[in-house]
Each structure stands twice: as structure tokens, then as C-alpha cells.
Amino acid sequence: MKKQITISEIANELKLSKTAISFVLNGKGREMGISEQTQKKILQHLEHINYIPNVSARGLRTGKTKTIAMMVEDISDPFFSSIARVVEEIAYTKGYKILFSSTENDSQRARDLIQVFRRRQVDGYIIAPPPCIEPEISELLDDGLAVVLFDRTLPTLKVDNVLVDNFQSSYNGIKHLINNGYENIAMISLISEQIQMVERHRGYQTVMDEVNKQYIIKSVVYHDAVADNISILQNFFIENSHIDAVFFTTNYLAESGLEAIRNLNLRIPDDLGVIVFDDDKLFRLFTPSITAIAQPISEISTQAVKLILMSLTNKGFKTTAQNVLLKTALQIRESSQPRKNTHE
Amino acid sequence: MKKQITISEIANELKLSKTAISFVLNGKGREMGISEQTQKKILQHLEHINYIPNVSARGLRTGKTKTIAMMVEDISDPFFSSIARVVEEIAYTKGYKILFSSTENDSQRARDLIQVFRRRQVDGYIIAPPPCIEPEISELLDDGLAVVLFDRTLPTLKVDNVLVDNFQSSYNGIKHLINNGYENIAMISLISEQIQMVERHRGYQTVMDEVNKQYIIKSVVYHDAVADNISILQNFFIENSHIDAVFFTTNYLAESGLEAIRNLNLRIPDDLGVIVFDDDKLFRLFTPSITAIAQPISEISTQAVKLILMSLTNKGFKTTAQNVLLKTALQIRESSQPRKNTHE
DNA sequence: TCATCTTATTAAACCGTTTTAGGAAACCAA
DNA sequence: TTGGTTTCCTAAAACGGTTTAATAAGATGA
């Protein structure tokens, strides 16, 4: 095990003080009146020996770890992993590293994770919050930690967040189905009080109200066995044979739903139009391709990192919570093509 | 900003020494001869005030950070993100956190990342190595750090790894196509010297040799623009119209390939059988569903964590590098159905 | 009773940085 | 020559744990 080179050793070698090395190392040479000559000497030596500072020591002294925790529902979900990818990349350029973790949308898990992150003294948190986590988030804020929520928010808290317009997106999606001649549109969703889901529901309901149609809603429990969901949805489709289109409120549900549809040998879009909230790289390659409401992954990530870095640097200048609201893009594909039989 | 409670404060409150608190905190109470009574008192107090130790301080003294770096090609790739999910979960139960990052299979990026991780004094590394990274990995090993490679390995290094049998998997997949009557099987792959790719190629070539068929190979550059790849592959299919099946050596290529096939209006499997290395949750929902060679995500993850934890705890007992070789599962679906026209 | 051995506890050093408070040398003005 | 500025640099104290070496008190044995 090779011993790490320390600042003291460098100081000895160069016949200078630790202080001088540290100043130069942190770019405070000029400010602290270290001569150009000495600075150059130190920098060259640091470069030459490929000095690697000890972050634990630095963290201990400064209280900062240059680490951001990112808590999402499921890091293996393509929506979240894509965001993670971009967030990691941007944060890296600013000297931050990201600790990712999956909450499974379970508040107890999330609480445990926050506890772990606190031990590790992460500087900031980017969170897609599960329900009932307000007290813990609130505590983070009280303790002056940087927090940014995304994908969903906690309306009772004053906290930065970056969201998409779930209501409008959902509204536009359903409207698109209506415009294409679909009449009996079902919504498959999760049993959830979370704001993003509520808004998506509201988008659906608003359109249905506008066109004077009955809601046809099936909600399932999050993270029940996939097989269970498939059969539940199959039964739902069988019992509601008048449905001519279906709106899945998340990509996770679409997976089960598309399988149910396939098992029943229903043809898309002739028997059933389909639209999904959240796009997937492969949806455009389906036969027929699947219409989806695509969230702006890259922009969500960029904004989240931007906000967290602002909080991190502007410590204390916290005036008011920032709310970033982004637009989605309706990717119109074959699964929602204009309905033929009703027009013939 | 709430002040963190420190061991010294606890010691004062309880009229004990920091030492005693520390011993009990680390479960060394018995060993160090702290009386049952005192231990209980300390533990209760720790629980009561919800003490959160400062990891920087601990890390500084012990040199351990309880952190593992995980470097993959692309954390947004479902294969890697699924593994990440499981790894994170298992490591968490052992008190470790994972720092994820994407190398883009670029060795310079990987080098930079390793540098960053070294600063952070991560205890171990789980890596899907890009090419030409041997020197850096070697250095990690020399410095006594725990390293586990997965998905691919560096044959010149003595290092733990967990791999799948790329040759056999690929062989079985192609054999399956042959058995189903396909004759002119193309392989779409990446220009790569990496062992996992070489093995997959070898599997293809071996079968083709056995049945006395010409290789039909198209290799593209990693991470060229997707649109470019699509048109390259379209041209390839047009120029080689005798091809009746295609083997994509990674899911990443399948994405472009399936789009090319779709653009050309080729029917799967009638015009073209398809098989992909790496499964995707959605492949089974395609119409027709896509045959894939599925890697055992969960087992890969479990084994990788197991190996890294062994290295981490058995410090110095390093006798010899462990090689774990896992089997894949050929998920036979509609895209490789027995060929009709040749049998009629 | 004195030396010895446990048992229960702790003082102090240490890990490698950052930062505060100050100090030496050189220069300048009067 | 004295006192005041600059300019350049440093000693030493933190940060909050872990660990080593030591010690006080009580028990044991001869």
C-alpha cells in the first residue's frame, strides 16, 4: 500500500510552510500574497509529484464533501437513469460527485437513506420525493442544506423544484386522442396522492369533462408483482370492452399494460389506441410505434444541477424557492393514429 | 445551520471520555473492557440524541471511506443501470455507498475518473473497463485497493472478475438461428478489441465455420451519431440482400439496427431473423417479440459485490484472483422463429 | 502488608487539511 | 534613526473522530 503524499511532506521538500502550499493549492496564492515565483514553484512541484489531496481531511476541516445525493424512485428505470447520467456528467465538471440511490417510492427507505447521507455530510440533495417525507426534507432545509426536488414536489414546503407541466402534458395527450377520434379513453394509473400523479389524472379528467365522457380509470398498487398487474389489467380490458384507447400514466405501467394488450390479442391502434406518459428509447421501434409524452430529460437534469449548485454557492442568500416548470413533447406515433372505424 | 453533535460533547454530558464513547460506538465495548452498565448508558444516549458520526473525521483517521466506485460504460444503459440498482442495494446493507459514473468506454475519461475517486479515497472499485486502462488498474492493485472487473476483463492483469460466457452464449444464439433454418446470418458489431466483443465474435464465427458459411460482418464505431449508424446499417442491409438473419452483439446496436430494419420495411422474422446480445424489458413486447441473450443481472451484481467485500475485509490475504463465469439465458422469442420459406 | 493482576477508564497523539493571527524583512517617508 | 507600510510567508490551532499507551481502583495471592 503506497503511502499518500501529504502537504507537510511537500512543504518540507520545498522548504516552505504547509500554509503556503495550501493557499496555492486552493487558488488563493495571489490573494494571500504568495509571490508569483513561489506559486509557480509550488504548482510545478504539485504537478510533478501528482499530488492527490485527502478529501477526508479537507472535508473534516471545511465541513464540505463536494458530494451530492440523488434519490430517485428506481435508478434502473430509464427515465431516472437517463437523468442520472446527465446530472452526474454536469456535476463532475464542477468538482462534485453524485451518490445515487433508489427509494422505491417508500418513505421509510427514503428516511434511512437521508440518515446515511447525513452521516456522509453530503452537501446537497436532488430528490424525487416519495410521499410523507416532508418532515425530513424540512429538517434538511432547516439545517441549511441544499435541496432540489424534481419529477414531483411537496407543495407544503418552500423548496426549489424542477417539474414538468403534468397537467398540461396529460391534457394535450388525451386531447390528441380525442382529436383522432377516440371516444372511450381509459386511464391506467397508480394509487397515489402524489402531486405529479394527481396532475396527470386532472389532465385526463379535464378533457373527458370537456367532451362529456365518463372517466374510465383503473389504478393499481405500486410495485405489486408485475404478473399480478398484467392479469388485473387483462381483466379490466375484458370487462370494459367499450374502451377504444388507453392512457398509461407512467412507463412502468405501460410495460404491464402492453403485455396485457398483447395477451388479449388486441390490435393497436385498431382495437385500442395507446399513449404513455414517459417515453422510452424503444417505443418508436414498436410495431406499431407507441405514442408517448416525452419529458425533457436533459433539461430537467441541467436545471436540477443548476439549482443545486446555486444553493451550494450562494449559501445563506436563500431568498425564495425557485420553481422551474418545463414542457414535455408529445411524440405522436402510430399507436394513436386517427381512428378508422368510427369515421368510416 | 444546526451544529453537529460531537463525541466530545457526548463525553462531557455523560462524564465519560471520548475514548469510551468511541469504543462503544464501534462495538468494541466488550473487547476494550467497558462495563455493561456504561455501555448501556452510552448506547441509550447515542440513540436518544440521534448521534450522526462525522465520516470525514472517521475517514481521516482510519483511511477508509466505506465507499465503492462503480465505473460503467453508460449508466443510462438498461443493462448497467439494472446492475447498478442491485449493487447499490446490496452494498447499502453492508454500510457501503456507491459512486457511479459513466466512462463512455473512453480510456481518458476513465483515467480522470479514477483520479477523482482516488482523491476521494474510495475503498474499492467495481469496473467495466474501457480499453487501454491496464496501467491505471494495475496501479490501483499495487496500492492495495480492492478491484473487481465485470462485463469484460483485462486478460493481462491478475484481478478478480465476474463475466458471462460470451463465447458460448453467442455460439448458442447463432446455433439457434441455424437450427431454425436461417442460413445467411450477419453479425452487426462494434469495432473493438475488447475481450467480451472478441468472444462474441468468436462464437458467431465458430458456428459459421461449422456450417460452412461465409462471415457477414458489419462493425461500426462506438458512439457515432445514432442517425449515422442507422443509415450505415440500412445500406448494409440493402447491399447484402441475401442476409436472412442478423445478430446484434449489444443492445445498443440493436436500437439502430431495428430502426434500420423498420425503415427498410423488412419483416421480422420472415425477411430477417433477429437476435440480440443483452435483453431489454421491452423486447418481449415487440411485435414480433425479439429474441435475446439475457445476462443474469442479479447474479452479476451479487457476485461483484461479494468479491469486492471479500477483498475489502480480507485485506492482505489476497492469494489469487477470483474468476467468476456466469451463464446467460437465451430468451427465444418470435424474431427467430423457424424460417418458413426455406422449408416450404 | 506488599506485590501483582484484573478491570474499567482515560489522556493524549494522530490523521491531513484549512484558516487565523501574526511576524520578519524590505522599503519608504520624515 | 525611527516608525509605518508593504510584501511575503509561517506557526499553530482547529476540524471530530480512532487508537495507543497509561493509570486508578479494586481484587487476589503469598
Side-chain angles (χ1 to χ4, degrees), chain A residues 1-2 4 50-60 64-67 73-78 81-82 84-85 88-89 92 95-102 104 109 112-113 115-121 139 142-145 223 226 230 254-256 258-259 262 280-289 315 334, chain B residues 1-2 4 50-60 64-67 73-78 81-82 84-85 88-89 92 95-102 104 109 112-113 115-121 139 142-145 223 226 230 254-256 258-259 262 280-289 315 334:
Chain A
M1 176 87 80
K2 207 160 57 180
Q4 289 255 335
N50 189 23
Y51 167 70
I52 298 179
N54 180 317
V55 271
S56 291
R58 183 176 279 175
L60 174 57
K64 301 273 155 280
T65 54
K66 287 275 193 175
T67 306
E73 196 168 297
D74 178 354
I75 190 67
S76 71
D77 181 298
S81 69
S82 302
R85 168 72 194 271
E88 197 267 325
E89 206 128 346
Y92 175 74
Y96 283 86
K97 282 306 290 178
I98 311 281
L99 285 168
F100 294 103
S101 53
S102 306
E104 278 173 24
R109 243 182 103 84
D112 292 349
L113 284 167
Q115 189 70 3
V116 172
F117 288 133
R118 300 213 65 168
R119 282 174 188 255
R120 295 190 167 255
Q121 289 158 208
E139 202 175 313
D142 289 348
D143 291 357
L145 291 160
H223 255 185
V226 173
I230 293 171
E255 198 192 330
S256 309
L258 289 171
E259 180 140 14
R262 161 177 263 264
D280 188 292
K281 279 196 301 190
L282 296 182
F283 278 165
R284 72 172 202 283
L285 299 175
F286 268 62
T287 316
S289 53
K315 266 309 182 222
E334 296 161 355
Chain B
M1 176 86 82
K2 208 160 56 180
Q4 290 256 336
N50 190 21
Y51 168 70
I52 299 179
N54 181 317
V55 271
S56 292
R58 181 178 280 175
L60 174 57
K64 300 274 157 278
T65 55
K66 287 277 194 172
T67 305
E73 197 167 297
D74 178 355
I75 190 66
S76 71
D77 181 297
S81 67
S82 302
R85 168 72 195 270
E88 197 267 325
E89 206 127 346
Y92 175 73
Y96 283 86
K97 282 307 289 177
I98 311 281
L99 286 167
F100 294 102
S101 53
S102 306
E104 277 173 24
R109 243 181 102 82
D112 293 348
L113 284 167
Q115 190 71 4
V116 171
F117 288 132
R118 300 213 65 167
R119 281 173 187 255
R120 294 189 167 256
Q121 290 158 204
E139 203 175 312
D142 289 348
D143 291 358
L145 291 160
H223 255 185
V226 173
I230 293 171
E255 196 191 329
S256 309
L258 289 172
E259 180 141 13
R262 161 178 263 265
D280 188 292
K281 280 196 299 189
L282 295 182
F283 279 165
R284 74 173 201 283
L285 299 176
F286 267 63
T287 316
S289 52
K315 265 308 182 226
E334 296 161 356

Side-chain angles (χ1 to χ4, degrees), chain A residues 231-269:
Chain A
S231 71
I232 288 171
L233 293 179
Q234 273 178 244
N235 288 335
F236 173 72
F237 289 132
I238 291 170
E239 288 163 14
N240 297 271
S241 55
H242 65 300
I243 297 173
D244 58 12
V246 59
F247 167 45
F248 295 104
T249 60
T250 94
N251 60 352
Y252 156 74
L253 288 166
E255 198 192 330
S256 309
L258 289 171
E259 180 140 14
I261 292 170
R262 161 177 263 264
N263 291 347
L264 294 173
N265 281 313
L266 294 172
R267 287 163 307 155
I268 299 173

